Structure formats: structure tokens, C-alpha cells
Amino acid sequence: MTTTRQLALSPFILLLITTGFAAAAVVGAADIGAVDASGQSSPILLASGVLRDGSPGRVVLITLMACVIFLAVLTTVTSVTFAAAVSFAHDVFAQGRRRRTETGEVRVLRAAAVIVCAVGLSLAAAIHRYPTDFLVTFSISVAASCIFPALLYSFFWRRFNRRGLLWSVYGGLLFCTVLTAFSPVVSGTVFALWPEAHFDWYPFQTPGLVSVPAAFLLGWLGSVSSPQNSELEFRDMQYRVLTGKELGSQTADLQR
């Protein structure tokens, strides 16, 4: 289901990228920045620049984009809530020795979903006055820096091992956190979290431009510098990535 949703959102993401380049070419970066410093209103400005005021095409285009954005946000929030509830139920409530029935597991999942939603709504109400748009870019950069290199290495490079995995994941997370903290989305700009402060020595809004190559480099460096048997570690890690279970001694003997 998650893969289907990601495939359904891919054309929308490509459309947004194309719309951003088109808005920069038609409207101009300076005019977009004068209206909205974050650039999120570029599709509306593009529609205003191409279509005349009050035209049916302009109304249809703006309405269509508003509906698509709403559905995309609703789908994303639903997926994230369900994934968080499943992880919370599996990691917290399922630690007891007593086995639960299917009805009990459903109840635990529902309780976890309610807790996750309550915590999310409480945090949203507490920080609604602060600009938190940078969290979207931060979460995408963390996924691209911590998950993508590990998956790519584990599927296609047999020398990838535990040290390379840890260096890639923790290094990518560290780079994302540090670069986001010192980027223009946190300080130094009108749309930043603290616009009055100025410690934005990283010039870009997306930390993934640096953190993703750094995660790949750290994964390679950690793997080649590991003194242990990389072939056995690769099999163990590949089995855990594909099944989510530990590789037992019997399974290891069979794979040898």
C-alpha cells in the first residue's frame, strides 16, 4: 500500500518540480521572492502570469491544485500516522511476555493511533505560531541521507557491513541536523524560525545536497576500514533488511 501511494504521488511531485522551474522562468525569481520568500506560492503566481484574472482556466487550475495538495497532505498524514502507530504498538506495547490475540493487537494499534494523534495535535497547537515548514525538508533529507544509501549499499555492494551501515546512518543524520540548524530556514531570513538571529553559514535550504553524498562516503569508508569479515556481515544485514529478523546460526550455515 505504501509503495502504491508513493507511485501515485510521484507524478504530483514531478509536476511540482516542473511548475517551480516554469514559475521561475515566467514570473521570475525576484518577483516570487517579493511575494513569498519561501517560494511556496509559485504555482499560484504562475497561473496569474499565464492566465488572465477571472478566466475560467485560472479558476479551474487554482482549484485543481488546491484539491491535489489537500489530498496529498491528507494521504501523507494518514500514512505517517499509521506507520507511527504500528511502530509504537510493536516497540512499546508488544514487549510484554503475554501473547495477544488478534483482537487485542487491533485494540493496541487503535490505542497507539489515538496516542500518536493526540501528541501530534498537542505539538501542533503548541508551535502553531512558529514557521515549521523546514521540518518537511528536514524529514525528506533525513530519509534520503539515512535510508537511501543504506538500502542501495545493502542491495548492490557485498562489502557493505555493520560499521558502514552505522557510519552512513548516524553520519547522514548528524550532517542533516547540523546543516539544518545553520541554514536559512532556521535563522537569517524572513521565513526562518528565528528571523532576528543570524547564524546561517550554510547557504542552502536543503541539507540533503551535502548530507546524501556524505552518507554515501561514510558508508563506503566504514565498510572498507572494517577489519571483520564483510561477506558474512553482508549476508546477515541483507537478511535483516529483507525479513526484519535476526540471522540465526542454522540459517547462516545454510547460506555458507
Side-chain angles (χ1 to χ4, degrees):
M1 251 180 126
T2 303
T3 305
T4 305
R5 289 171 180 170
Q6 290 176 350
L7 291 176
L9 287 176
S10 298
F12 173 69
I13 295 175
L14 293 176
L15 178 62
L16 283 181
I17 296 174
T18 306
T19 304
F21 282 111
V26 174
V27 182
D31 294 336
I32 295 176
V35 176
D36 183 9
S38 62
Q40 295 184 1
S41 62
S42 56
I44 308 299
L45 295 176
L46 176 61
S48 302
V50 174
L51 303 173
R52 60 183 178 83
D53 295 341
S55 63
R58 181 181 180 184
V59 175
V60 170
L61 180 60
I62 295 176
T63 304
L64 180 62
M65 289 213 54
C67 293
V68 171
I69 292 172
F70 174 76
L71 291 177
V73 172
L74 182 62
T75 304
T76 303
V77 171
T78 304
S79 303
V80 171
T81 302
F82 183 75
V86 171
S87 301
F88 191 69
H90 179 270
D91 297 335
V92 178
F93 290 108
Q95 296 300 321
R97 297 181 179 179
R98 183 172 61 89
R99 295 189 61 183
R100 300 181 182 271
T101 61
E102 293 184 359
T103 305
E105 292 179 355
V106 172
R107 291 177 180 174
V108 169
L109 182 60
R110 290 175 178 174
V114 171
I115 293 174
V116 169
C117 291
V119 173
L121 289 174
S122 300
L123 291 175
I127 63 175
H128 74 281
R129 296 182 179 180
Y130 298 94
T132 57
D133 297 340
F134 71 94
L135 293 177
V136 177
T137 305
F138 176 73
S139 61
I140 296 175
S141 299
V142 167
S145 304
C146 300
I147 300 177
F148 179 65
L151 288 178
L152 204 62
Y153 274 142
S154 62
F155 287 149
F156 298 106
W157 191 35
R158 303 196 68 84
R159 291 189 61 185
F160 191 54
N161 50 34
R162 185 174 182 272
R163 175 184 286 186
L165 176 66
L166 294 178
W167 283 26
S168 176
V169 172
Y170 289 124
L173 179 61
L174 180 62
F175 270 95
C176 279
T177 304
V178 172
L179 294 179
T180 301
F182 295 99
S183 66
V185 298
V186 176
S187 67
T189 55
V190 294
F191 58 89
L193 182 62
W194 293 298
E196 296 83 7
H198 293 279
F199 48 87
D200 50 326
W201 52 264
Y202 179 67
F204 305 108
Q205 299 183 20
T206 305
L209 296 174
V210 176
S211 61
V212 174
F216 274 105
L217 179 61
L218 290 174
W220 171 82
L221 186 62
S223 298
V224 298
S225 62
S226 178
Q228 302 177 1
N229 192 338
S230 60
E231 180 69 20
L232 295 179
E233 284 200 0
F234 176 83
R235 292 178 179 177
D236 183 23
M237 185 169 51
Q238 187 181 45
Y239 183 81
R240 278 188 283 181
V241 169
L242 295 176
T243 64
K245 301 178 181 179
E246 293 288 341
L247 183 63
S249 58
Q250 297 180 354
T251 308
D253 293 338
L254 290 176
Q255 289 190 353
R256 294 177 191 176

